[in-house]
Protein backbone atom coordinates (compact mmCIF):
# COMPACT_ATOMS: atom_id res chain seq x y z
CA UNK A 1 0.00 0.00 0.00
CA UNK A 2 1.38 3.39 -1.00
CA UNK A 3 1.20 6.08 1.66
CA UNK A 4 0.60 9.73 0.84
CA UNK A 5 3.64 11.84 -0.01
CA UNK A 6 4.32 15.05 1.89
CA UNK A 7 3.17 16.99 -1.15
CA UNK A 8 -0.11 15.08 -1.24
CA UNK A 9 -0.57 15.67 2.48
CA UNK A 10 -0.15 19.41 1.93
CA UNK A 11 -2.69 19.28 -0.91
CA UNK A 12 -5.05 17.37 1.33
CA UNK A 13 -4.60 19.86 4.17
CA UNK A 14 -5.56 22.74 1.89
CA UNK A 15 -8.47 20.79 0.42
CA UNK A 16 -7.01 20.50 -3.04
CA UNK A 17 -6.31 16.76 -3.08
CA UNK A 18 -8.21 14.22 -5.15
CA UNK A 19 -10.99 12.37 -3.35
CA UNK A 20 -9.19 9.05 -3.33
CA UNK A 21 -6.31 10.62 -1.39
CA UNK A 22 -8.74 11.91 1.22
CA UNK A 23 -10.31 8.45 1.35
CA UNK A 24 -6.93 6.84 1.85
CA UNK A 25 -5.96 9.24 4.65
CA UNK A 26 -9.25 8.50 6.41
CA UNK A 27 -8.54 4.78 6.46
CA UNK A 28 -4.77 4.77 6.98
CA UNK A 29 -3.47 5.29 10.51
CA UNK A 30 -0.01 6.34 9.36
CA UNK A 31 -1.25 8.95 6.87
CA UNK A 32 -3.89 10.24 9.27
CA UNK A 33 -1.21 10.72 11.90
CA UNK A 34 1.06 12.52 9.39
CA UNK A 35 -1.82 14.78 8.44
CA UNK A 36 -2.54 15.54 12.09
CA UNK A 37 1.13 16.46 12.59
CA UNK A 38 1.01 18.81 9.63
CA UNK A 39 -2.21 20.37 10.92
CA UNK A 40 -0.66 20.90 14.34
CA UNK A 41 2.46 22.54 12.88
CA UNK A 42 0.53 24.90 10.65
CA UNK A 43 -2.10 25.75 13.23
CA UNK A 44 0.49 27.87 15.05
CA UNK A 45 0.85 30.05 11.98
CA UNK A 46 -2.57 31.54 12.39
CA UNK A 47 -3.62 34.53 10.29
CA UNK A 48 -2.88 37.87 11.85
CA UNK A 49 -2.71 41.45 10.59
CA UNK A 50 -5.66 43.24 12.14
CA UNK A 51 -6.19 46.61 10.50
CA UNK A 52 -7.11 49.68 12.55
CA UNK A 53 -10.41 51.46 11.96
CA UNK A 54 -10.15 54.48 9.72
CA UNK A 55 -7.17 53.08 7.83
CA UNK A 56 -8.91 53.80 4.51
CA UNK A 57 -9.47 57.48 5.33
CA UNK A 58 -5.87 57.87 6.44
CA UNK A 59 -4.69 56.23 3.26
CA UNK A 60 -6.77 58.62 1.17
CA UNK A 61 -5.25 61.60 2.99
CA UNK A 62 -1.81 60.37 1.94
CA UNK A 63 -2.84 59.71 -1.67
CA UNK A 64 -5.10 62.67 -2.29
CA UNK A 65 -2.38 65.23 -3.17
CA UNK A 66 -0.95 62.81 -5.75
CA UNK A 67 -4.33 61.93 -7.24
CA UNK A 68 -6.30 65.12 -7.20
CA UNK A 69 -3.21 67.21 -7.79
CA UNK A 70 -2.76 65.89 -11.31
CA UNK A 71 -4.45 62.69 -12.35
CA UNK A 72 -3.47 61.08 -15.56
CA UNK A 73 -6.16 58.51 -16.21
CA UNK A 74 -5.66 56.46 -19.32
CA UNK A 75 -8.94 56.15 -21.18
CA UNK A 76 -9.54 53.92 -24.13
CA UNK A 77 -12.22 55.11 -26.50
CA UNK A 78 -13.08 53.67 -29.86
CA UNK A 79 -13.51 57.17 -31.25
CA UNK A 80 -9.89 57.97 -30.63
CA UNK A 81 -8.58 54.97 -32.57
CA UNK A 82 -8.04 56.89 -35.77
CA UNK A 83 -5.84 59.34 -33.89
CA UNK A 84 -4.01 56.47 -32.24
CA UNK A 85 -3.32 54.79 -35.57
CA UNK A 86 -1.97 58.09 -36.88
CA UNK A 87 0.33 58.46 -33.89
CA UNK A 88 1.42 54.83 -34.31
CA UNK A 89 2.26 55.35 -37.97
CA UNK A 90 4.20 58.50 -37.18
CA UNK A 91 6.14 56.65 -34.48
CA UNK A 92 6.90 53.82 -36.91
CA UNK A 93 8.20 56.27 -39.51
CA UNK A 94 10.40 58.01 -36.92
CA UNK A 95 11.71 54.66 -35.73
CA UNK A 96 12.46 53.60 -39.30
CA UNK A 97 14.33 56.84 -39.98
CA UNK A 98 16.26 56.54 -36.74
CA UNK A 99 17.22 52.98 -37.59
CA UNK A 100 18.36 53.96 -41.08
CA UNK A 101 20.33 56.94 -39.75
CA UNK A 102 21.99 54.72 -37.14
CA UNK A 103 22.85 52.17 -39.80
CA UNK A 104 24.43 54.79 -42.07
CA UNK A 105 26.30 56.34 -39.14
CA UNK A 106 27.61 52.99 -37.97
CA UNK A 107 28.83 52.15 -41.51
CA UNK A 108 30.62 55.50 -41.67
CA UNK A 109 32.29 54.82 -38.34
CA UNK A 110 33.71 51.45 -39.40
CA UNK A 111 37.48 51.76 -39.85
CA UNK A 112 39.94 49.26 -41.28
CA UNK A 113 41.20 46.65 -38.88
CA UNK A 114 44.64 47.18 -37.44
CA UNK A 115 47.21 44.42 -37.39
CA UNK A 116 48.56 43.96 -33.88
CA UNK A 117 51.00 41.20 -33.00
CA UNK A 118 50.19 39.48 -36.26
CA UNK A 119 46.46 39.46 -35.41
CA UNK A 120 43.76 41.67 -36.89
CA UNK A 121 41.98 43.75 -34.27
CA UNK A 122 39.09 46.11 -34.97
CA UNK A 123 40.03 49.74 -34.42
CA UNK A 124 36.77 50.40 -32.55
CA UNK A 125 35.50 48.16 -29.86
CA UNK A 126 32.55 48.13 -27.52
CA UNK A 127 33.17 47.68 -23.82
CA UNK A 128 29.62 47.54 -22.67
CA UNK A 129 26.13 48.41 -23.75
CA UNK A 130 26.19 51.90 -25.19
CA UNK A 131 29.75 52.79 -24.30
CA UNK A 132 32.03 52.65 -27.29
CA UNK A 133 35.75 53.00 -26.72
CA UNK A 134 37.75 54.16 -29.67
CA UNK A 135 41.38 53.35 -30.24
CA UNK A 136 43.34 56.55 -29.93
CA UNK A 137 45.86 55.90 -32.70
CA UNK A 138 44.52 54.54 -35.95
CA UNK A 139 47.11 56.00 -38.37
CA UNK A 140 48.12 53.31 -40.86
CA UNK A 141 51.43 55.01 -41.90
CA UNK A 142 54.65 53.04 -41.57
CA UNK A 143 56.47 55.40 -39.11
CA UNK A 144 53.58 55.07 -36.70
CA UNK A 145 53.89 51.31 -36.53
CA UNK A 146 55.13 51.32 -32.94
CA UNK A 147 52.33 53.70 -31.94
CA UNK A 148 49.77 51.46 -33.56
CA UNK A 149 51.12 48.51 -31.66
CA UNK A 150 50.79 50.48 -28.39
CA UNK A 151 47.21 51.54 -29.15
CA UNK A 152 46.24 47.99 -30.09
CA UNK A 153 47.71 46.67 -26.86
CA UNK A 154 45.80 49.26 -24.81
CA UNK A 155 42.63 48.39 -26.64
CA UNK A 156 43.19 44.71 -26.08
CA UNK A 157 43.83 45.38 -22.38
CA UNK A 158 40.46 47.16 -22.17
CA UNK A 159 38.71 44.25 -23.86
CA UNK A 160 40.42 41.79 -21.54
CA UNK A 161 39.46 43.75 -18.40
CA UNK A 162 35.82 44.01 -19.50
CA UNK A 163 35.71 40.37 -20.53
CA UNK A 164 37.16 39.37 -17.15
CA UNK A 165 34.33 41.25 -15.46
CA UNK A 166 31.74 39.56 -17.68
CA UNK A 167 33.23 36.15 -16.89
CA UNK A 168 33.27 36.95 -13.16
CA UNK A 169 29.58 37.72 -13.19
CA UNK A 170 28.82 34.71 -15.37
CA UNK A 171 30.71 32.53 -12.92
CA UNK A 172 28.68 33.90 -10.01
CA UNK A 173 25.46 33.18 -11.89
CA UNK A 174 26.54 29.63 -12.71
CA UNK A 175 27.55 29.01 -9.10
CA UNK A 176 24.07 30.13 -8.02
CA UNK A 177 22.53 27.84 -10.60
CA UNK A 178 24.58 24.90 -9.45
CA UNK A 179 23.77 25.57 -5.81
CA UNK A 180 20.19 26.90 -5.85
CA UNK A 181 19.45 28.62 -2.58
CA UNK A 182 16.79 30.91 -1.26
CA UNK A 183 17.97 33.89 -3.29
CA UNK A 184 17.40 32.07 -6.55
CA UNK A 185 13.74 32.92 -6.81
CA UNK A 186 13.60 36.62 -6.22
CA UNK A 187 14.11 37.52 -9.88
CA UNK A 188 17.66 38.82 -9.38
CA UNK A 189 19.08 35.83 -11.19
CA UNK A 190 16.82 36.45 -14.17
CA UNK A 191 17.77 40.12 -14.37
CA UNK A 192 21.48 39.31 -14.17
CA UNK A 193 21.06 36.68 -16.88
CA UNK A 194 19.30 39.18 -19.16
CA UNK A 195 22.10 41.69 -18.74
CA UNK A 196 24.80 39.10 -19.24
CA UNK A 197 23.02 37.73 -22.29
CA UNK A 198 22.99 41.12 -23.99
CA UNK A 199 26.68 41.63 -23.22
CA UNK A 200 27.54 38.09 -24.23
CA UNK A 201 25.98 38.59 -27.66
CA UNK A 202 27.88 41.83 -28.03
CA UNK A 203 31.20 40.14 -27.29
CA UNK A 204 30.40 37.30 -29.64
CA UNK A 205 29.68 39.76 -32.44
CA UNK A 206 32.71 41.93 -31.73
CA UNK A 207 35.18 39.20 -31.00
CA UNK A 208 34.90 37.08 -34.13
CA UNK A 209 38.67 37.10 -34.66
CA UNK A 210 39.55 36.63 -31.02
CA UNK A 211 40.78 33.63 -29.10
CA UNK A 212 38.74 30.51 -30.07
CA UNK A 213 38.57 29.44 -26.40
CA UNK A 214 36.83 32.74 -25.56
CA UNK A 215 34.46 32.32 -28.48
CA UNK A 216 33.61 28.76 -27.42
CA UNK A 217 32.98 29.68 -23.77
CA UNK A 218 30.76 32.59 -24.76
CA UNK A 219 28.86 30.33 -27.14
CA UNK A 220 28.38 27.66 -24.45
CA UNK A 221 27.18 30.31 -22.00
CA UNK A 222 24.53 31.60 -24.39
CA UNK A 223 21.90 28.81 -24.01
CA UNK A 224 22.22 28.89 -20.21
CA UNK A 225 21.74 32.66 -20.09
CA UNK A 226 18.91 32.46 -22.62
CA UNK A 227 17.08 29.84 -20.56
CA UNK A 228 17.40 31.83 -17.31
CA UNK A 229 16.59 35.14 -18.99
CA UNK A 230 13.42 33.66 -20.48
CA UNK A 231 11.92 33.06 -17.02
CA UNK A 232 9.18 35.53 -16.14
CA UNK A 233 10.04 36.02 -12.48
CA UNK A 234 12.34 33.87 -10.41
CA UNK A 235 13.41 30.29 -10.96
CA UNK A 236 12.24 27.47 -8.76
CA UNK A 237 14.72 24.88 -7.52
CA UNK A 238 13.04 22.35 -9.80
CA UNK A 239 13.51 24.61 -12.84
CA UNK A 240 17.15 25.14 -11.93
CA UNK A 241 17.70 21.41 -11.50
CA UNK A 242 16.15 20.82 -14.92
CA UNK A 243 18.39 23.46 -16.46
CA UNK A 244 21.46 21.99 -14.80
CA UNK A 245 20.65 18.59 -16.25
CA UNK A 246 19.75 19.81 -19.71
CA UNK A 247 22.58 22.25 -20.28
CA UNK A 248 25.27 20.67 -18.12
CA UNK A 249 25.94 23.93 -16.30
CA UNK A 250 28.68 22.22 -14.28
CA UNK A 251 30.79 21.92 -17.40
CA UNK A 252 30.06 25.47 -18.51
CA UNK A 253 31.10 26.70 -15.05
CA UNK A 254 34.36 24.77 -15.30
CA UNK A 255 35.00 26.20 -18.75
CA UNK A 256 34.31 29.75 -17.55
CA UNK A 257 36.59 29.30 -14.53
CA UNK A 258 39.48 28.08 -16.68
CA UNK A 259 38.95 30.92 -19.11
CA UNK A 260 38.64 33.50 -16.37
CA UNK A 261 41.95 32.46 -14.91
CA UNK A 262 43.52 32.71 -18.39
CA UNK A 263 41.93 36.10 -18.95
CA UNK A 264 43.14 37.29 -15.54
CA UNK A 265 46.71 36.42 -16.57
CA UNK A 266 46.03 38.12 -19.88
CA UNK A 267 44.97 41.27 -18.02
CA UNK A 268 48.24 41.37 -16.15
CA UNK A 269 50.16 40.67 -19.34
CA UNK A 270 48.31 43.27 -21.33
CA UNK A 271 48.75 45.85 -18.59
CA UNK A 272 52.46 45.09 -18.44
CA UNK A 273 52.79 45.42 -22.21
CA UNK A 274 50.81 48.64 -22.05
CA UNK A 275 53.19 50.07 -19.44
CA UNK A 276 56.21 49.10 -21.49
CA UNK B 1 -20.64 41.56 -2.44
CA UNK B 2 -22.62 42.20 -5.63
CA UNK B 3 -23.74 45.58 -4.27
CA UNK B 4 -20.17 46.47 -3.46
CA UNK B 5 -19.05 45.52 -6.96
CA UNK B 6 -21.82 47.59 -8.50
CA UNK B 7 -20.79 50.54 -6.33
CA UNK B 8 -17.17 50.01 -7.35
CA UNK B 9 -18.13 50.05 -11.01
CA UNK B 10 -20.09 53.27 -10.62
CA UNK B 11 -17.14 54.83 -8.83
CA UNK B 12 -14.70 53.67 -11.50
CA UNK B 13 -16.95 55.23 -14.15
CA UNK B 14 -17.01 58.49 -12.19
CA UNK B 15 -13.20 58.59 -11.93
CA UNK B 16 -12.82 57.80 -15.62
CA UNK B 17 -15.40 60.46 -16.33
CA UNK B 18 -13.03 63.06 -14.92
CA UNK B 19 -13.72 63.09 -11.18
CA UNK B 20 -10.53 61.98 -9.41
CA UNK B 21 -12.04 62.78 -6.00
CA UNK B 22 -14.36 59.81 -6.56
CA UNK B 23 -11.34 57.52 -6.20
CA UNK B 24 -11.54 58.23 -2.47
CA UNK B 25 -14.45 55.79 -2.18
CA UNK B 26 -12.40 52.98 -3.68
CA UNK B 27 -9.45 53.80 -1.44
CA UNK B 28 -11.57 53.83 1.71
CA UNK B 29 -13.41 50.63 0.73
CA UNK B 30 -10.38 48.53 -0.17
CA UNK B 31 -7.48 49.86 1.92
CA UNK B 32 -8.23 47.57 4.86
CA UNK B 33 -8.09 44.41 2.78
CA UNK B 34 -4.92 45.61 1.03
CA UNK B 35 -3.19 46.59 4.28
CA UNK B 36 -3.99 43.20 5.79
CA UNK B 37 -2.52 41.15 2.94
CA UNK B 38 0.45 43.51 2.52
CA UNK B 39 1.27 43.26 6.23
CA UNK B 40 1.10 39.49 6.11
CA UNK B 41 3.39 39.34 3.10
CA UNK B 42 5.93 41.98 4.10
CA UNK B 43 5.79 41.24 7.83
CA UNK B 44 5.62 44.84 9.01
CA UNK B 45 3.21 47.76 9.07
CA UNK B 46 5.51 50.40 7.56
CA UNK B 47 6.26 48.30 4.48
CA UNK B 48 2.58 47.38 4.20
CA UNK B 49 1.65 51.07 4.16
CA UNK B 50 4.19 51.73 1.39
CA UNK B 51 2.87 48.75 -0.59
CA UNK B 52 -0.75 49.87 -0.35
CA UNK B 53 0.06 53.43 -1.43
CA UNK B 54 1.96 52.08 -4.41
CA UNK B 55 -0.82 49.62 -5.29
CA UNK B 56 -3.57 52.23 -5.12
CA UNK B 57 -1.55 54.70 -7.18
CA UNK B 58 -0.84 52.01 -9.74
CA UNK B 59 -4.54 51.17 -9.75
CA UNK B 60 -5.43 54.81 -10.36
CA UNK B 61 -3.00 55.13 -13.25
CA UNK B 62 -4.19 51.92 -14.86
CA UNK B 63 -7.88 52.42 -14.21
CA UNK B 64 -8.51 52.86 -17.93
CA UNK B 65 -7.38 49.27 -18.55
CA UNK B 66 -9.55 47.80 -15.76
CA UNK B 67 -12.06 45.24 -17.03
CA UNK B 68 -15.27 45.80 -15.11
CA UNK B 69 -16.35 42.15 -15.13
CA UNK B 70 -13.29 41.16 -13.06
CA UNK B 71 -14.42 43.19 -10.05
CA UNK B 72 -12.37 46.11 -8.77
CA UNK B 73 -11.66 44.36 -5.46
CA UNK B 74 -10.03 41.32 -7.08
CA UNK B 75 -8.17 43.53 -9.54
CA UNK B 76 -6.67 45.84 -6.92
CA UNK B 77 -5.96 42.85 -4.66
CA UNK B 78 -3.79 41.30 -7.39
CA UNK B 79 -1.97 44.60 -7.86
CA UNK B 80 -1.44 44.82 -4.08
CA UNK B 81 -0.05 41.28 -3.88
CA UNK B 82 2.28 42.04 -6.76
CA UNK B 83 3.53 45.25 -5.13
CA UNK B 84 4.07 43.42 -1.82
CA UNK B 85 5.93 40.65 -3.60
CA UNK B 86 8.15 43.15 -5.42
CA UNK B 87 8.98 45.02 -2.21
CA UNK B 88 9.71 41.81 -0.31
CA UNK B 89 11.96 40.55 -3.11
CA UNK B 90 13.79 43.87 -3.13
CA UNK B 91 14.23 43.82 0.65
CA UNK B 92 15.53 40.26 0.54
CA UNK B 93 17.95 41.11 -2.24
CA UNK B 94 19.25 44.13 -0.31
CA UNK B 95 19.57 42.05 2.85
CA UNK B 96 21.43 39.42 0.84
CA UNK B 97 24.20 41.93 0.16
CA UNK B 98 24.59 42.62 3.87
CA UNK B 99 24.70 39.08 5.16
CA UNK B 100 25.27 35.65 3.75
CA UNK B 101 21.57 34.82 4.04
CA UNK B 102 22.18 31.74 6.13
CA UNK B 103 20.01 30.80 9.06
CA UNK B 104 22.15 32.22 11.85
CA UNK B 105 21.13 29.95 14.67
CA UNK B 106 20.92 26.86 12.50
CA UNK B 107 17.99 25.52 14.47
CA UNK B 108 19.81 25.60 17.82
CA UNK B 109 17.02 27.50 19.56
CA UNK B 110 16.88 26.98 23.31
CA UNK B 111 13.35 26.02 24.22
CA UNK B 112 12.13 26.44 27.77
CA UNK B 113 10.57 23.42 29.38
CA UNK B 114 6.81 23.71 28.95
CA UNK B 115 5.34 24.01 32.37
CA UNK B 116 2.97 26.31 34.11
CA UNK B 117 3.22 30.08 34.59
CA UNK B 118 6.28 32.02 33.43
CA UNK B 119 7.76 29.05 31.58
CA UNK B 120 4.63 28.76 29.48
CA UNK B 121 4.74 32.48 28.71
CA UNK B 122 8.38 32.23 27.79
CA UNK B 123 7.62 29.35 25.49
CA UNK B 124 4.81 31.24 23.82
CA UNK B 125 7.12 34.23 23.23
CA UNK B 126 9.77 31.95 21.83
CA UNK B 127 7.18 30.29 19.63
CA UNK B 128 6.23 33.62 18.12
CA UNK B 129 9.87 34.56 17.61
CA UNK B 130 10.57 31.19 16.05
CA UNK B 131 7.55 31.50 13.76
CA UNK B 132 8.65 34.94 12.61
CA UNK B 133 12.15 33.64 11.98
CA UNK B 134 10.74 30.71 10.04
CA UNK B 135 8.56 33.00 7.92
CA UNK B 136 11.57 35.23 7.33
CA UNK B 137 13.52 32.31 5.97
CA UNK B 138 11.14 31.89 3.04
CA UNK B 139 11.88 33.42 -0.34
CA UNK B 140 9.65 36.26 -1.52
CA UNK B 141 7.76 33.90 -3.81
CA UNK B 142 7.31 31.20 -1.17
CA UNK B 143 6.18 33.67 1.47
CA UNK B 144 3.71 35.40 -0.83
CA UNK B 145 2.30 32.10 -2.06
CA UNK B 146 2.08 30.70 1.49
CA UNK B 147 0.36 33.80 2.87
CA UNK B 148 -2.16 33.72 0.04
CA UNK B 149 -2.85 30.01 0.51
CA UNK B 150 -2.68 29.63 4.29
CA UNK B 151 -3.81 33.00 5.62
CA UNK B 152 -5.83 34.47 2.78
CA UNK B 153 -7.31 31.09 1.78
CA UNK B 154 -6.83 31.76 -1.92
CA UNK B 155 -6.78 28.88 -4.39
CA UNK B 156 -3.67 27.80 -6.24
CA UNK B 157 -5.15 29.25 -9.43
CA UNK B 158 -5.66 32.65 -7.78
CA UNK B 159 -2.10 32.59 -6.42
CA UNK B 160 -0.75 31.79 -9.88
CA UNK B 161 -2.79 34.55 -11.44
CA UNK B 162 -1.71 37.17 -8.88
CA UNK B 163 1.95 36.25 -9.12
CA UNK B 164 1.85 35.68 -12.88
CA UNK B 165 3.09 32.11 -12.60
CA UNK B 166 1.51 28.80 -13.55
CA UNK B 167 -0.75 26.96 -11.07
CA UNK B 168 1.82 24.20 -10.73
CA UNK B 169 4.57 26.66 -9.89
CA UNK B 170 2.24 28.26 -7.35
CA UNK B 171 1.50 24.86 -5.80
CA UNK B 172 5.22 24.07 -5.64
CA UNK B 173 5.94 27.41 -3.96
CA UNK B 174 3.33 26.68 -1.27
CA UNK B 175 4.68 23.18 -0.82
CA UNK B 176 8.27 24.37 -0.43
CA UNK B 177 7.14 27.02 2.05
CA UNK B 178 5.31 24.43 4.17
CA UNK B 179 8.33 22.13 4.13
CA UNK B 180 10.72 24.89 5.18
CA UNK B 181 8.39 26.13 7.90
CA UNK B 182 7.92 22.65 9.36
CA UNK B 183 11.65 22.07 9.31
CA UNK B 184 12.34 25.31 11.14
CA UNK B 185 9.52 24.84 13.60
CA UNK B 186 10.58 21.29 14.45
CA UNK B 187 12.28 22.29 17.76
CA UNK B 188 8.95 23.71 18.94
CA UNK B 189 7.14 20.52 18.04
CA UNK B 190 9.61 18.50 20.08
CA UNK B 191 9.23 20.86 23.05
CA UNK B 192 5.43 20.53 23.09
Amino acid sequence: MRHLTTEELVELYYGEAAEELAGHAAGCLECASALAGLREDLAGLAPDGAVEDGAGERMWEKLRPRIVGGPRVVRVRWASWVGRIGVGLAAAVILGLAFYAGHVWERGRKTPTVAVDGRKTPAVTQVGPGSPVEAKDEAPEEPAKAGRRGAGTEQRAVIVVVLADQLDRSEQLLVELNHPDDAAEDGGLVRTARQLLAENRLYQRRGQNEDPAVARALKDLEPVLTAVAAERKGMSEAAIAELEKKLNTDNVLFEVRVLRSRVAHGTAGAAKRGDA
Amino acid sequence: MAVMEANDQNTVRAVLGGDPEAYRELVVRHSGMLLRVAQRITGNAADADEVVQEALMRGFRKLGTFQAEAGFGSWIYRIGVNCAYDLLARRKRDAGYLDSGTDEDGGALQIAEPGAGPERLLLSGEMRARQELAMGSLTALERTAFVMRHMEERSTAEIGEALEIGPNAAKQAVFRAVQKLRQRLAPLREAR
Side-chain angles (χ1 to χ4, degrees):
Chain A
M1 180 179 61
R2 188 181 76 83
H3 292 294
L4 300 186
T5 63
T6 319
E7 201 170 345
E8 286 167 341
L9 283 169
V10 172
E11 277 180 33
L12 191 58
Y13 175 76
Y14 286 120
E16 289 193 336
E19 268 189 31
E20 71 244 35
L21 296 182
H24 170 85
C28 169
L29 199 62
E30 199 173 318
C31 291
S33 150
L35 184 63
L38 174 68
R39 194 168 283 138
E40 201 179 335
D41 284 348
L42 293 178
L45 293 158
D48 55 357
V51 178
E52 294 168 24
D53 290 343
E57 288 292 352
R58 278 194 296 281
M59 187 57 67
W60 173 246
E61 286 312 310
K62 288 176 198 166
L63 295 176
R64 194 175 180 278
R66 292 160 72 187
I67 288 174
V68 180
R72 284 186 301 120
V73 180
V74 182
R75 303 173 69 184
V76 182
R77 282 172 191 266
W78 287 97
S80 66
W81 272 60
V82 176
R84 280 167 182 269
I85 290 168
V87 170
L89 280 175
V93 169
I94 291 169
L95 264 177
L97 284 174
F99 179 80
Y100 180 70
H103 184 67
V104 169
W105 183 71
E106 184 65 24
R107 220 169 26 186
R109 266 165 50 93
K110 272 191 184 160
T111 53
T113 54
V114 179
V116 177
D117 298 335
R119 175 197 317 233
K120 279 189 171 182
T121 308
V124 177
T125 190
Q126 188 92 22
V127 297
S131 57
V133 171
E134 293 189 20
K136 284 172 188 162
D137 187 357
E138 295 166 19
E141 290 83 11
E142 191 61 29
K145 201 171 178 179
R148 282 205 312 271
R149 186 183 295 273
T153 310
E154 274 173 30
Q155 181 191 325
R156 182 156 172 72
V158 170
I159 295 171
V160 164
V161 168
V162 176
L163 183 62
D165 174 59
Q166 152 92 354
L167 290 172
D168 264 350
R169 286 180 296 138
S170 299
E171 185 188 355
Q172 277 171 22
L173 181 123
L174 287 163
V175 167
E176 272 193 64
L177 282 179
N178 287 343
H179 304 280
D181 57 8
D182 291 352
E185 287 184 42
D186 65 3
L189 205 63
V190 175
R191 272 190 295 280
T192 309
R194 284 177 188 162
Q195 198 184 1
L196 285 171
L197 181 63
E199 291 172 18
N200 190 43
R201 285 180 178 163
L202 198 65
Y203 293 129
Q204 286 193 67
R205 272 207 306 276
R206 288 285 178 185
Q208 281 161 358
N209 299 323
E210 288 293 331
D211 188 344
V214 175
R216 194 174 54 246
L218 294 178
K219 202 175 156 199
D220 289 347
L221 256 175
E222 169 125 1
V224 178
L225 297 175
T226 307
V228 180
E231 294 290 327
R232 291 182 73 187
K233 280 209 165 154
M235 285 189 81
S236 66
E237 282 187 26
I240 290 175
E242 177 72 25
L243 186 73
E244 255 183 274
K245 209 162 62 182
K246 210 164 82 183
L247 297 172
N248 197 3
T249 52
D250 257 341
N251 252 2
V252 182
L253 175 61
F254 177 72
E255 201 178 356
V256 166
R257 276 186 172 152
V258 170
L259 189 63
R260 194 174 60 91
S261 119
R262 276 181 53 185
V263 168
H265 290 308
T267 314
K272 211 188 268 178
R273 281 196 302 277
D275 289 345
Chain B
M1 185 62 87
V3 175
M4 190 198 264
E5 278 180 16
N7 287 342
D8 281 351
Q9 282 170 26
N10 289 338
T11 313
V12 168
R13 270 196 289 274
V15 177
L16 291 175
D19 178 12
E21 282 277 2
Y23 196 64
R24 176 189 161 279
E25 261 185 60
L26 295 172
V27 171
V28 171
R29 205 174 290 147
H30 297 285
S31 283
M33 167 265 289
L34 288 172
L35 280 165
R36 187 199 62 220
V37 68
Q39 188 158 336
R40 285 171 176 173
I41 293 173
T42 61
N44 74 78
D47 280 350
D49 195 82
E50 188 183 328
V51 162
V52 176
Q53 287 192 47
E54 167 66 18
L56 288 165
M57 281 310 296
R58 214 182 271 185
F60 179 70
R61 286 191 211 102
K62 291 183 173 176
L63 206 56
T65 65
F66 163 64
Q67 307 287 320
E69 57 272 19
F72 181 82
S74 318
W75 184 70
I76 200 73
Y77 179 86
R78 280 200 297 276
I79 295 178
V81 165
N82 242 292
C83 290
Y85 167 82
D86 287 345
L87 184 118
L88 187 61
R90 206 162 57 234
R91 291 264 188 275
K92 284 204 171 268
R93 201 165 46 247
D94 294 347
Y97 290 126
L98 299 175
D99 61 45
S100 61
T102 52
D103 191 2
E104 316 78 31
D105 58 9
L109 184 75
Q110 298 295 309
I111 301 289
E113 283 298 316
E119 288 84 3
R120 174 62 67 184
L121 280 175
L122 184 61
L123 178 61
S124 123
E126 282 180 355
M127 275 171 87
R128 271 199 303 278
R130 188 72 190 174
Q131 282 166 358
E132 276 167 30
L133 200 65
M135 286 293 283
S137 74
L138 303 180
T139 65
L141 183 69
E142 288 162 0
R143 182 170 178 138
T144 309
F146 178 75
V147 164
M148 288 187 76
R149 176 70 268 197
H150 186 76
M151 298 176 182
E152 298 280 305
E153 296 179 358
R154 301 280 168 164
S155 69
T156 304
E158 285 175 299
I159 298 169
E161 209 177 318
L163 291 171
E164 294 168 12
I165 55 176
N168 203 38
K171 192 187 280 183
Q172 284 299 316
V174 174
F175 174 62
R176 279 197 309 276
V178 170
Q179 270 194 316
K180 279 189 187 176
L181 290 170
R182 292 193 83 194
Q183 200 180 348
R184 283 178 167 77
L185 295 173
L188 291 179
R189 195 187 315 139
E190 283 151 22
R192 279 199 292 258

